[in-house]
Amino acid sequence: MQRHRTLGSGSISRPACVPRVSGPVKPRIAVQAVSTSTGRTAPRLIQHKAEAFWFYRFLSIVYDHVVNPGHWTEDMREDALVPAKLDSPDLKVVDVGGGTGFCTLGVVQSVAGKNVTLIDQSPHQLAKAKAKPALNDVTIMEGDAEDLPFPADSFDRYVSAGSIEYWPEPQRGITEAYRVTKPGGIACIIGPVHPTNPVSRFFADAWMLFPTEEEYMEWFTKAGFSDVKITRIGPKWYRGVRRHGLIMGCSVTGVKPQAGDSPLQLGPKAEERGKVNGNPLSFLLRLLLGTAAGFYYFLVPVYMYLKHLVWPKDAPGF
């Protein structure tokens, strides 16, 4: 098993433009969908709520059997949830963008199902979750990660795996994570990491959001979290290679220091759940082109697995 590597503030520094949160902070307005730290400000083709809804309308049929084996394995899930500190069955946990419930299955290994809520915008994904006997006691509901239907300070732990890449406004989603987490509680977001290989970067940026580690740190810190850390994860046959990016490449955690809403105040949402952004033709074009770009990332783990089989373990250059 590829072991995870934890990166704290000593290894990944906060961007210069992001102050450390300590004490009361004056609200600020931020309206861009994506951090400007990398200059990538426009949402990608499937980084829209309607496009993601229809993308998963069909992907949900084979998600657990095709996507997870190549990108999100049980041992990766175990590593990714360690920083969330699910150390009591009495914790109240929300799994946001939980889809078919794969991550939730990891949560209920440590937390009583009656204390867990799974929320996702896709009824097709949720139908798969509802069919899993281990999740019978879990509350399963539809909802929007950027506008959660819960009061502030509702959960001891917030978990979200494989969802941020479809959020039109990742900063808004993380601000919501802050709001619904109890003081002293932990938010944990598990998601992609941006590739450095130019071919992989082209397809990643066309398909969906692949944040850099610095962007994760920035978003969490701006939302008000303290003790922000990143734990790297990946399929064991990648042997730690990250240049192609990873659909599940890191687990980011932060602690909520005080009760209430995030100190970061945002304007109106860029997109509403269930509404097509733009005209139907442009929507269809984004969906088709984005799906085509995403197919590349179904091939990458196969390539890496075959390379793992033939490349000597002690040889350089893997």
Side-chain angles (χ1 to χ4, degrees), residues 267-286:
K269 285 194 298 181
E271 295 182 20
E272 294 290 340
R273 187 169 70 97
K275 292 185 178 180
V276 172
N277 186 37
N279 65 65
L281 183 59
S282 64
F283 160 75
L284 182 60
L285 189 61
R286 285 195 303 268

Side-chain angles (χ1 to χ4, degrees), residues 29-37 39-43 168-172 218-219 222 266-268 270:
I29 301 297
V31 296
Q32 284 186 309
V34 181
S35 166
T36 58
S37 60
R40 299 179 294 120
T41 58
E169 300 176 274
Q171 181 68 79
R172 185 180 300 276
E218 179 181 340
W219 291 330
K222 281 186 174 180
L266 302 174

Side-chain angles (χ1 to χ4, degrees), residues 91-101 104-105 107-108 111-120 125-127 129-143 148-150 155 159:
L91 291 172
K92 194 173 180 183
V93 182
V94 62
D95 183 0
V96 175
T100 65
T104 321
L105 288 172
V107 173
V108 298
V111 179
K114 65 181 181 179
N115 295 328
V116 178
T117 299
L118 188 166
I119 186 168
D120 195 281
Q125 292 280 80
L126 293 178
K130 291 175 180 178
K132 293 181 168 120
L135 303 182
N136 283 346
D137 293 334
V138 172
T139 300
I140 298 176
M141 58 190 296
E142 288 185 41
L148 294 170
F150 311 114
F155 297 96
V159 174

Side-chain angles (χ1 to χ4, degrees), residues 76 190-193 213 231-234 242 246-251:
M76 289 172 63
I190 305 158
V193 289
E213 291 177 341
T231 301
R232 289 180 173 177
I233 60 173
R242 299 173 74 77
L246 291 159
I247 291 179
M248 294 292 199
C250 65
S251 176

Side-chain angles (χ1 to χ4, degrees), residues 14-297:
R14 292 176 176 83
C17 62
V18 181
R20 181 183 295 273
V21 175
S22 56
V25 179
K26 290 184 178 181
R28 291 166 288 175
I29 301 297
V31 296
Q32 284 186 309
V34 181
S35 166
T36 58
S37 60
T38 61
R40 299 179 294 120
T41 58
R44 265 58 76 191
L45 292 168
I46 304 293
Q47 192 192 343
H48 298 277
K49 294 175 184 178
E51 283 82 341
F53 176 92
W54 286 103
F55 182 72
Y56 273 105
R57 169 65 181 84
F58 301 102
L59 189 61
S60 62
I61 300 171
V62 296
Y63 188 88
D64 286 335
H65 306 291
V66 175
V67 178
N68 286 343
H71 298 286
W72 184 216
T73 61
E74 291 185 3
D75 59 309
M76 289 172 63
R77 181 183 66 192
E78 180 183 349
D79 284 351
L81 289 176
V82 168
K85 297 182 180 180
L86 303 173
D87 49 12
S88 169
D90 298 323
L91 291 172
K92 194 173 180 183
V93 182
V94 62
D95 183 0
V96 175
T100 65
F102 181 78
C103 184
T104 321
L105 288 172
V107 173
V108 298
Q109 290 178 12
S110 305
V111 179
K114 65 181 181 179
N115 295 328
V116 178
T117 299
L118 188 166
I119 186 168
D120 195 281
Q121 76 149 352
S122 170
H124 313 101
Q125 292 280 80
L126 293 178
K128 299 291 184 181
K130 291 175 180 178
K132 293 181 168 120
L135 303 182
N136 283 346
D137 293 334
V138 172
T139 300
I140 298 176
M141 58 190 296
E142 288 185 41
D144 185 348
E146 295 180 353
D147 188 13
L148 294 170
F150 311 114
D153 309 323
S154 291
F155 297 96
D156 300 296
R157 299 290 186 270
Y158 169 107
V159 174
S160 180
S163 181
I164 190 173
E165 54 264 40
Y166 303 106
W167 299 352
E169 300 176 274
Q171 181 68 79
R172 185 180 300 276
I174 294 173
T175 299
E176 273 292 270
Y178 183 98
R179 184 183 67 81
V180 302
T181 302
K182 293 180 181 180
I186 298 173
C188 174
I189 291 184
I190 305 158
V193 289
H194 198 246
T196 56
N197 176 277
V199 175
S200 297
R201 188 167 62 242
F202 170 82
F203 285 103
D205 286 342
W207 181 24
M208 62 183 188
L209 177 64
F210 281 71
T212 65
E213 291 177 341
E214 290 77 14
E215 284 176 315
Y216 281 114
M217 296 287 288
E218 179 181 340
W219 291 330
F220 266 73
T221 305
K222 281 186 174 180
F225 286 105
S226 61
D227 195 25
V228 181
K229 296 178 181 178
I230 291 180
T231 301
R232 289 180 173 177
I233 60 173
K236 60 185 178 181
W237 62 91
Y238 275 55
R239 302 188 196 176
V241 169
R242 299 173 74 77
R243 61 181 173 269
H244 296 292
L246 291 159
I247 291 179
M248 294 292 199
C250 65
S251 176
V252 189
T253 54
V255 177
K256 182 173 179 175
Q258 57 191 16
D261 293 350
S262 168
L264 181 64
Q265 299 298 307
L266 302 174
K269 285 194 298 181
E271 295 182 20
E272 294 290 340
R273 187 169 70 97
K275 292 185 178 180
V276 172
N277 186 37
N279 65 65
L281 183 59
S282 64
F283 160 75
L284 182 60
L285 189 61
R286 285 195 303 268
L287 179 62
L288 293 176
L289 291 177
T291 301
F295 183 72
Y296 172 83
Y297 271 92

